[in-house]
Amino acid sequence: MGQTISEKIISNHIGKKVYAGELVVSEVDGCMASDTTGPLTIKAFHEMGGKKVFSPDKCALIIDHAAPSPNERIANLHKMMRDFAKEQGMRLFEIGEGICHQVMVENAYVKPGNIFIGADSHTPTYGALNAFACGVGSTDLAATMMTGKIWLKVPQTIQINCSGKLQEGVTAKDLILFLVGKVTVSGATYQAIEFTGETFERLSLASRMTVANMSSEMGAKTGIVHPKGLKLDYDFEAITPDEDANYIKTFDFDVAGLEPQVSAPESPDNVHNISNYEGTKINYAFIGTCCNGRLEDLNIAAEILKGKKIHPDVRMVIAPASQSVLLDAISNGTMSTLIEAGASLITSGCGPCVGTHQGVPADGEVVISAANRNFRGRMGNPNSNIYLGAPSTVAASALEGQIVNPKKYLV
Amino acid sequence: MSGVQTTIKAKAHVYGDHIDTDRIIPGKYTKTLDMTTLANHVLEDLDPNFNKIVQQGDILVAGINFGCGSSREQAPLALKKSGVSVVIAKDFARIFFRNAINIGLPVLEIADHNIQKGAELDIDLKSGIVKDLTVDVTYTATKLPDIMINILSEGGLVNYLTKYGDYSL
C-alpha cells in the first residue's frame, strides 16, 4: 500500500512501514522551546527527573516571544532559560537573534526528512523543508528533551493540490489565507496536510515556510509542502508520496485567478477577496512574525513604499524574522526604504503578534497585520480588530490609511 | 486511575465553538510560573465573570475545536488552577488536548452533546459516561488511546515519566 510523505518520514524513523492511525514512539531529530514555553519545559524536565538533555546539539531554546524582556518577571524567566542552556551545553538564541522557526531553519537544526518537535504551535513551518514537524506544549517538550522521543499517532493526510500561476502582486500569503478560508480552522484537526501541485513548485523556501506555517491555522498536526522545486544550499534526499498513497480528502484549486486575500476579525478562516474590505480605515500596520517577516516580505513592502510616506494616521511596525534577515535588509537598502517611509523597526521577535509588548493596539483601533492569527485579543487588546493580509497588502494599506489592493503599486 | 479523581458531579459552564487559547489565557499573561496569576485571568476576554463564578470541581463545556491556536500549556493549567475539573467539548484542537492530558486535566470528547448552561453533570472518567442530570440524558465520550489513559491515570506526564522513565505503548 502506498504511503504519504508523513507516513514515509515516520516509517524511516522507526524502521518499519506504518500507516495512518497507528501509534508509534519515534526518536526525534531535534526540538526547541521559546520563552513562552521554555520556563515551564525546564520546570517539567526537572520534575520528571531529567538530568541531561538527550543530545545538546539537537536541542535549542529561543528567547523571542518577549524579547528584550519588558519587565523583571519575564527577565527572570529569561535568566532561567540562559542558566539551563549553559548547564546543559545547549544553544540558546538570545534576544534579537530571531524568531524560533526562522533560526531553526537558518541554523540547520531541521532538515528534509526530519521529525522535529517544537513547543510552539507554528512548528509545522518546517514542512516547507519536507520535514515532519509538530507543535507540542511544555511538558511534552520536556519529555522529548529528556528521552529524545515522542509518542504520536500517525496522522491521516489531506492533500491540497493547487494549479495555476499566481498573478503578479498575489503572494504565498494570499494563497494560504485562501486555503485556510476553504479548509477552515478545524478542517484538518489531528491530520497532516500535503501541499502539492505546480503552484507550490514555483515557490521560494521563504514562501513555502509561509504556507506550511499556516497549516496550524487549519488545526493540522503538520503541513508538508511537496519537495518538487525546493532549492536548498545543500543536497538532500526528497521524501515524496507514493502515487497510490491514501488521502482522507483531496482539495483541488485552480488559483490562477486568485486576488489578494484578507482575513477579517476574528478568526483566521474569515477570509475574503480584498475587494470586500477595500476602504476599511486602519490605524496600525504590522509586518513581521514567523509567517511573514522574511527578506522577500520586507523587500516587497519596500518596493511599494519606496520614495513614499505612510499615511499620517497610520503607524507601521517592522519586526524582521531574524538578525540575519535584518542584516540582509540593511545591505540591500530595504531597511532604509522602510524607515524613510515612516516605519518603526523593532527587535526581531514575536512581541506584537502575541500581544506581549512592542505594539499593542488601543481600544477601537484597526490593525492590518502580516501575522497568522487575528483571534480576539491576540495582539494584547480585546477591544481592537485585526485583519490579516500579505506584506504587500499591509504596506499598500499603510500608505493609504485604508485596506487597499497592493496590485496597483506593483505593476 | 490512581492520580486523579474518577467520578465528578458538578455544574457545567457552557460556551461555544472555536474557543482559542488567547481567550482561555491571553498571551500577555502567559509568561509566568505562578499558576494563581494564570487562574486570575482565565477566560477573561470570553467571560469576564468566569473567574468569579467558577467553583472548585466545576465542569467546562464547549462546542467544536476547543483550544485552537497556541501551544501554550498555560491554557489547560489556567483552567485547572481556576477549579475546572474536566473539560467536555464536541472536539478539541490537537495540542490543547495533549497538553490537558499531560498536566492531568481530564478532557472528554462528545461530538453530539447538547449540554446547556447550568446543567448538573455526573461523570465517570473511567467509562467516559456523562449523565446530564438536569434533563436526564446520558452521553458516552470518545475513548482515549491507551497511552493517554495511562498518562492521565498517573495524574499527568511528569508523574508518568518519573515512574516509568520512558514511553511504552
Side-chain angles (χ1 to χ4, degrees):
Chain A
M1 193 163 74
Q3 289 183 301
T4 64
I5 296 175
S6 297
E7 287 168 339
K8 279 194 179 176
I9 292 175
I10 296 169
S11 296
N12 290 346
H13 279 74
I14 65 168
K16 65 167 186 169
K17 273 197 170 189
V18 288
Y19 296 90
E22 293 183 54
L23 283 170
V24 302
V25 174
S26 174
E27 293 193 353
V28 305
D29 299 291
C31 65
M32 67 86 188
S34 76
D35 52 330
T36 289
T37 52
L40 274 173
T41 298
I42 295 165
K43 183 167 171 270
F45 181 85
H46 290 312
E47 283 173 0
M48 59 181 61
K51 297 279 182 281
K52 285 304 229 180
V53 301
F54 79 100
S55 172
D57 295 344
K58 294 179 179 177
C59 302
L61 295 175
I62 301 98
I63 298 178
D64 59 357
H65 277 58
S69 53
N71 57 45
E72 79 284 8
R73 179 171 43 81
I74 294 177
N76 287 330
L77 294 175
H78 288 173
K79 180 175 186 295
M80 178 184 179
M81 293 172 70
R82 292 184 186 109
D83 290 348
F84 183 75
K86 194 172 277 182
E87 164 201 313
Q88 293 292 331
M90 63 196 265
R91 175 92 187 257
L92 176 125
F93 289 86
E94 263 297 347
I95 59 162
E97 285 197 77
I99 298 172
C100 51
H101 307 304
Q102 184 68 19
V103 298
M104 287 297 93
V105 173
E106 285 176 358
N107 291 275
Y109 273 79
V110 55
K111 289 186 171 159
N114 281 180
I115 292 180
F116 193 96
I117 302 302
D120 186 276
S121 61
H122 289 109
T123 302
T125 305
Y126 318 136
L129 284 174
N130 195 213
F132 181 90
C134 298
V136 296
S138 298
T139 304
D140 255 335
L141 207 272
T144 297
M145 274 193 175
M146 189 172 92
T147 63
K149 294 175 197 164
I150 184 92
W151 78 266
L152 46 90
K153 193 170 179 178
V154 182
Q156 295 172 319
T157 299
I158 293 179
Q159 186 184 49
I160 297 180
N161 183 34
C162 290
S163 60
K165 187 176 181 217
L166 295 174
Q167 291 179 53
E168 196 71 32
V170 178
T171 66
K173 179 59 165 294
D174 299 300
L175 174 61
I176 189 62
L177 284 176
F178 169 76
L179 295 174
V180 170
K182 293 296 178 194
V183 177
T184 81
V185 288
S186 56
T189 302
Y190 305 129
Q191 293 161 348
I193 298 173
E194 272 179 24
F195 298 96
T196 186
E198 56 159 320
T199 312
F200 298 105
E201 290 168 21
R202 295 192 184 93
L203 297 182
S204 65
L205 173 61
S207 285
R208 287 165 188 251
M209 287 171 76
T210 301
V211 167
N213 176 278
M214 286 197 74
S215 49
S216 60
E217 263 56 68
M218 305 182 224
K221 186 173 200 160
T222 192
I224 304 179
V225 185
H226 192 291
K228 191 167 181 192
L230 175 64
K231 292 180 190 71
L232 299 174
D233 51 15
Y234 51 85
D235 291 332
F236 66 96
E237 193 184 332
I239 313 283
T240 56
D242 291 324
E243 277 187 17
D244 58 344
N246 190 22
Y247 297 100
I248 181 156
K249 196 168 185 179
T250 296
F251 290 91
D252 288 298
F253 298 107
D254 180 346
V255 293
L258 190 71
E259 65 167 287
Q261 304 285 299
V262 291
S263 167
E266 48 193 35
S267 175
D269 66 356
N270 188 14
V271 177
H272 305 269
N273 287 333
I274 196 164
S275 48
N276 294 24
Y277 286 96
E278 278 189 283
T280 304
K281 297 273 185 247
I282 58 141
N283 309 98
Y284 173 9
F286 173 54
I287 297 179
T289 80
C290 56
C291 191
N292 274 124
R294 284 174 275 278
L295 189 65
E296 68 177 32
D297 304 317
L298 304 186
N299 285 348
I300 199 166
E303 191 183 332
I304 290 167
L305 293 171
K306 192 168 180 59
K308 305 186 186 79
K309 288 280 181 197
I310 62 168
H311 192 277
D313 297 339
V314 174
R315 60 193 185 279
M316 184 170 195
V317 172
I318 307 279
S322 70
Q323 223 156 47
S324 162
V325 167
L326 173 60
L327 287 169
D328 287 345
I330 289 170
S331 308
N332 75 3
T334 283
M335 201 42 72
S336 331
T337 301
L338 294 172
I339 293 171
E340 280 162 10
S344 169
L345 172 68
I346 62 167
T347 307
S348 296
C350 315
C353 173
V354 74
T356 323
H357 67 142
Q358 301 193 114
V360 177
D363 289 351
E365 286 196 325
V366 177
V367 185
I368 181 82
S369 165
N372 36 33
R373 287 193 178 137
N374 58 349
F375 301 139
R376 180 133 309 264
R378 173 71 183 175
M379 294 180 78
N381 185 347
N383 302 313
S384 63
N385 286 311
I386 309 165
Y387 289 80
L388 304 178
S392 46
T393 298
V394 175
S397 303
L399 270 184
E400 297 200 13
Q402 58 186 359
I403 293 177
V404 62
N405 189 327
K407 272 165 101 173
K408 64 178 169 184
Y409 293 103
L410 288 166
V411 284
Chain B
M1 293 193 181
S2 58
V4 287
Q5 194 187 341
T6 57
T7 55
I8 295 158
K9 194 171 168 183
K11 196 180 101 171
H13 301 268
V14 183
Y15 298 97
D17 295 338
H18 304 296
I19 294 170
D20 57 73
T21 47
D22 281 274
R23 292 199 208 208
I24 300 171
I25 185 76
K28 59 193 171 192
Y29 303 123
T30 54
K31 281 130 195 101
T32 181
L33 294 175
D34 174 14
M35 299 304 133
T36 307
T37 302
L38 294 177
N40 286 343
H41 296 286
V42 69
L43 294 171
E44 73 174 21
D45 289 344
L46 179 71
D47 180 354
N49 285 321
F50 183 79
N51 183 40
K52 298 180 192 82
I53 57 174
V54 65
Q55 302 282 318
Q56 190 62 40
D58 278 0
I59 298 155
L60 189 73
V61 178
I64 61 166
N65 203 26
F66 184 83
C68 58
S70 171
S71 66
R72 63 185 69 148
E73 198 167 281
Q74 289 87 344
L77 283 169
L79 289 170
K80 189 178 178 187
K81 182 67 181 176
S82 75
V84 168
S85 61
V86 54
V87 183
I88 296 172
K90 289 183 179 172
D91 64 37
F92 290 86
R94 190 188 72 83
I95 304 176
F96 179 91
F97 194 75
R98 262 185 98 117
N99 283 345
I101 301 284
N102 284 340
I103 64 144
L105 174 67
V107 275
L108 296 176
E109 204 164 80
I110 303 175
D112 61 347
H113 82 75
N114 186 29
I115 299 165
Q116 301 296 314
K117 191 178 170 184
E120 190 76 11
L121 304 181
D122 190 348
I123 299 173
D124 184 324
L125 286 174
K126 261 187 173 166
S127 62
I129 290 177
V130 175
K131 290 181 187 158
D132 184 338
L133 302 174
T134 309
V135 291
D136 195 22
V137 175
T138 299
Y139 302 101
T140 305
T142 307
K143 193 179 179 313
L144 292 174
D146 287 344
I147 186 163
M148 281 193 155
I149 291 172
N150 295 340
I151 291 168
L152 198 54
S153 299
E154 297 299 334
L157 188 58
V158 165
N159 292 352
Y160 177 93
L161 281 177
T162 303
K163 187 165 170 181
Y164 298 108
D166 208 341
Y167 298 110
S168 61
L169 287 178

